[in-house]
């Protein structure tokens, strides 16, 4: 009989932004499949087209960072989760690895400034408190050169899903090694008063005859259009645009993305 190993790993307010080791291990496998076609080309073009320094906040395991670096861009990366940056650094040489640090977007520090700072794939949604959102915007502003831009994205809330949530929706099911298979299911529970989506990720995988099941809980803050506008206007940023997709089209009733580009004049 196969050996079954079950571990439910939750997360409290202090550590829910730190990805557990198994999440980091399978991150590329899952998100190269479900996300690359959505945003990768957009952010890559923005980065490669920037002549000066670039910072990627929420660099993760390097889904975007490595491609940008391979294209000759002067890019640096930060991430709050050491499980993610450890994997990324293992793929880089010493010189490249020195560009990666464990820092938070709300209080990161560099001795130099950037011409582009980007926070792809919902990084900003991990900031659940207004004070942290403003701190992040102002900290990014302080690290930009005049004329520099901060680009990030959050999703346009689907009201039906917000109200009903998701129940054990499979978003990945496939082999990660010959004979070894991973399935991930997602369950969400809305908190409408605090504008939070409480998410449970369940991972089921085998390694030979051993079967593993682990769960991780985290919360994401969702935003509405005018809330984003008020938030940015409270920050130090001089101007901004909010687009409805990664082609930088205007917002429409059918838009799925808020793509925000803030400029330091």
């Amino acid at each position: 009989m196969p050996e079954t190993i079950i571990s439910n790993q939750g997360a409290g307010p202090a550590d829910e932004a730190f990805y557990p080791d198994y999440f980091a291990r399978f991150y590329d496998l899952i998100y190269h499949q479900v996300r690359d076609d959505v945003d990768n080309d957009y952010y890559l073009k923005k980065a490669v087209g920037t002549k000066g320094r670039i910072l990627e906040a929420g660099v993760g395991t390097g889904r975007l960072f490595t491609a940008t670096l391979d294209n000759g861009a002067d890019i640096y990366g930060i991430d709050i989760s050491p499980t993610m940056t450890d994997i990324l650094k293992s793929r880089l040489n010493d010189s490249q690895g020195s560009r990666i640090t464990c820092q938070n977007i709300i209080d990161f520090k560099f001795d130099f400034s950037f011409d582009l700072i980007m926070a792809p794939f919902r990084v900003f949604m991990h900031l659940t408190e207004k004070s942290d959102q403003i701190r992040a915007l102002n900290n990014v502003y302080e690290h930009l050169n005049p004329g520099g831009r901060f680009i990030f994205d959050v999703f346009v809330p689907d009201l039906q899903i917000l109200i009903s949530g998701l129940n054990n929706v499979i978003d990945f099911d496939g082999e990660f090694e010959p004979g070894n298979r991973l399935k991930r299911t997602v369950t969400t529970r809305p908190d409408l008063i605090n504008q939070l989506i409480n998410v449970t990720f369940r991972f089921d995988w085998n390694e030979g005859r051993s079967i593993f099941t682990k769960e991780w809980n985290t919360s994401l803050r969702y935003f509405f259009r005018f809330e984003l506008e008020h938030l940015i206007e409270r920050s130090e940023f001089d101007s901004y645009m909010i687009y409805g997709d990664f082609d930088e089209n205007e917002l429409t009733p059918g838009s799925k993305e808020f793509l925000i580009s803030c400029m330091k004049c």
Side-chain angles (χ1 to χ4, degrees):
M1 295 290 292
E3 176 187 10
T4 301
I5 300 173
I6 301 177
S7 173
N8 294 325
Q9 178 175 344
D15 63 0
E16 65 179 9
F18 293 84
Y19 288 98
D21 56 357
Y22 57 88
F23 200 110
R25 175 187 179 187
F26 295 122
Y27 189 89
D28 281 357
L29 175 73
I30 295 171
Y31 288 105
H32 274 306
Q33 174 174 304
V34 304
R35 192 64 186 176
D36 276 2
D37 290 342
V38 178
D39 64 354
N40 199 66
D41 285 348
Y42 175 81
Y43 282 110
L44 183 59
K45 288 177 182 177
K46 289 294 184 183
V48 172
T50 299
K51 294 181 179 180
R53 290 192 188 99
I54 304 154
L55 176 65
E56 182 183 357
V59 68
T61 55
R63 180 176 68 94
L64 176 64
F65 179 90
T66 52
T68 305
L69 195 63
D70 289 344
N71 276 272
D74 187 10
I75 187 169
Y76 294 77
I78 61 171
D79 200 287
I80 195 174
S81 183
T83 57
M84 305 290 270
T85 56
D86 285 349
I87 290 176
L88 175 53
K89 286 182 178 181
S90 72
R91 299 170 176 167
L92 304 173
N93 61 40
D94 290 343
S95 175
Q96 295 170 331
S98 67
R99 292 171 172 268
I100 305 300
T101 54
C102 271
Q103 298 193 71
N104 195 320
I105 192 173
I106 66 175
D107 58 7
F108 69 85
K109 294 187 182 302
F110 286 91
D111 295 331
F112 45 81
S113 299
F114 301 88
D115 290 293
L116 172 65
I117 297 178
M118 51 189 185
F121 193 31
R122 323 306 193 205
V123 168
F124 207 79
M125 296 182 71
H126 288 283
L127 304 177
T128 59
E129 300 294 332
K130 294 193 304 291
S131 57
D132 286 343
Q133 295 157 15
I134 291 293
R135 287 178 65 194
L137 287 169
N138 288 340
N139 191 39
V140 166
Y141 181 89
E142 291 300 321
H143 282 83
L144 283 172
N145 292 318
R149 289 189 178 274
F150 174 44
I151 303 175
F152 66 100
D153 62 82
V154 300
F155 61 69
V156 175
D158 183 316
L159 296 183
Q160 183 173 351
I161 293 177
L162 283 183
I163 293 170
S164 61
L166 301 174
N167 186 31
N168 291 324
V169 173
I170 299 172
D171 70 347
F172 183 87
D173 189 353
E175 282 193 334
F176 63 93
E177 295 172 348
N180 293 329
R181 194 171 189 89
L182 167 71
K183 180 173 71 174
R184 191 178 80 169
T185 57
V186 181
T187 297
T188 64
R189 301 173 307 284
D191 179 346
L192 300 180
I193 296 299
N194 294 302
Q195 282 189 216
L196 294 176
I197 302 171
N198 299 307
V199 187
T200 298
F201 294 100
R202 177 183 169 116
F203 291 74
D204 296 282
W205 78 95
N206 75 290
E207 297 184 41
R209 294 176 59 83
S210 296
I211 300 173
F212 299 84
T213 295
K214 293 194 176 185
E215 290 186 353
W216 181 57
N217 303 311
T218 192
S219 297
L220 297 174
R221 174 74 151 75
Y222 59 88
F223 298 88
F224 295 102
R225 173 191 172 182
F226 293 120
E227 177 186 12
L228 284 168
E229 293 185 0
H230 283 298
L231 185 66
I232 298 166
E233 289 165 7
R234 287 180 59 197
S235 77
E236 298 294 331
F237 275 101
D238 306 292
S239 62
Y240 65 91
M241 288 292 296
I242 301 180
Y243 302 105
D245 57 35
F246 290 103
D247 292 321
E248 295 189 351
N249 291 313
E250 293 184 359
L251 284 165
T252 70
S255 295
K256 304 296 184 183
E257 306 281 346
F258 289 127
L259 177 65
I260 304 97
S261 178
C262 305
M263 183 173 181
K264 180 176 182 177
C265 296

